[in-house]
Amino acid sequence: MSILSVYHQSAPEHPFKVLTHVEDIAATLAEAGVQLERWEAGARLSAGASSDEVIAAYRPQIDRLMNERGYAAVDVLSVTRDHPQKAELRARFLDEHRHAEDEVRFFVAGRGLFSLHIENLVYAVLCEKNDLISVPAGTRHWFDMGEDPHFVAIRLFSNPEGWVAQHTGDDIASRFPRLEDLA
């Protein structure tokens, strides 16, 4: 189940809003300029499916997004508990950063925690299978895949160079709950 917890940036221990209905989550995020949609991730994929197989299975949805929003590139990020670099990958996304273009992910398996720092609020969005999230360019955020990761996400971009993380230097992410704190 997808969950949105909203915190004031100075109170990471107490969310003032927790939502579990996708319509409420999407409406609250839309007010902050973030899109969340529920899609059907129903394609049958074998465990360990390659990036090409994942993309082929979701080609109609990918093509629709690319045509509607002008994205030019797609890839797949897949991390499981037995990934040899899971700790390094987790650490790379845990610090607050931003991108020069939108960050778009469609979760076709598993889950991950996006935390968005917008003005003086932090929106912690637990994304799960079927969630499509679009975080606008320039939005400060971090992503936690957890200590025991399991997710497959399709990522879309206009320009892969625009997706390079620009770290803010703020340690805010270290003060907020991690994925395993929500389970």
Side-chain angles (χ1 to χ4, degrees), residues 67-87:
N67 289 332
E68 286 176 0
R69 301 183 190 176
Y71 300 122
V74 62
D75 74 2
V76 175
L77 182 60
S78 178
V79 183
T80 59
R81 59 188 51 91
D82 60 347
H83 193 288
Q85 296 174 315
K86 68 181 182 183

Side-chain angles (χ1 to χ4, degrees), residues 128-140:
E128 297 195 318
K129 180 180 177 180
N130 296 324
D131 288 339
L132 171 78
I133 189 166
S134 180
V135 179
T139 302
R140 296 173 295 169

Side-chain angles (χ1 to χ4, degrees), residues 14 19 39 44 54 67 73 94-95 112 121 123-124 126 128 131 133-134 137 140 147 154 165 183:
H14 301 292
L19 303 171
W39 284 14
R44 292 208 180 271
V54 172
N67 289 332
L94 276 178
D95 290 331
L121 300 178
Y123 299 79
L126 177 61
E128 297 195 318
D131 288 339
I133 189 166
S134 180
R140 296 173 295 169
E147 293 175 347
I154 297 172

Side-chain angles (χ1 to χ4, degrees), residues 31-180:
E31 291 172 6
V34 176
Q35 290 182 306
L36 181 81
E37 298 176 24
R38 179 59 53 95
W39 284 14
E40 181 61 37
R44 292 208 180 271
L45 295 167
S46 60
S50 71
S51 293
D52 288 342
E53 290 170 320
V54 172
I55 291 169
Y58 290 97
R59 178 52 67 189
Q61 293 95 325
I62 292 167
D63 286 347
R64 188 186 82 175
L65 266 181
M66 291 177 96
N67 289 332
E68 286 176 0
R69 301 183 190 176
Y71 300 122
V74 62
D75 74 2
V76 175
L77 182 60
S78 178
V79 183
T80 59
R81 59 188 51 91
D82 60 347
H83 193 288
Q85 296 174 315
K86 68 181 182 183
E88 293 86 357
L89 286 169
R90 182 183 191 203
R92 186 167 65 187
F93 299 122
L94 276 178
D95 290 331
E96 185 184 70
H97 60 279
R98 66 182 92 210
H99 301 287
E101 68 171 64
D102 296 352
E103 182 163 355
V104 181
R105 288 191 184 175
F106 173 44
F107 285 80
V108 299
R111 65 188 199 155
L113 180 65
F114 267 101
S115 294
L116 314 168
H117 185 189
I118 301 172
E119 296 182 10
N120 60 356
L121 300 178
V122 172
Y123 299 79
V125 188
L126 177 61
C127 293
E128 297 195 318
K129 180 180 177 180
N130 296 324
D131 288 339
L132 171 78
I133 189 166
S134 180
V135 179
T139 302
R140 296 173 295 169
H141 68 281
W142 57 94
F143 177 73
D144 186 12
M145 64 183 71
E147 293 175 347
D148 196 22
H150 168 68
F151 74 93
V152 178
I154 297 172
R155 304 185 303 177
L156 295 126
F157 348 74
S158 300
N159 174 1
E161 288 80 34
W163 198 81
V164 174
Q166 302 162 355
H167 287 43
T168 66
D170 191 330
D171 71 345
I172 188 169
S174 67
R175 298 188 302 268
F176 280 82
R178 299 283 189 226
L179 180 61
E180 51 275 0

Side-chain angles (χ1 to χ4, degrees), residues 21-38:
H21 297 293
V22 71
E23 297 84 7
D24 297 334
I25 295 169
T28 299
L29 289 173
E31 291 172 6
V34 176
Q35 290 182 306
L36 181 81
E37 298 176 24
R38 179 59 53 95

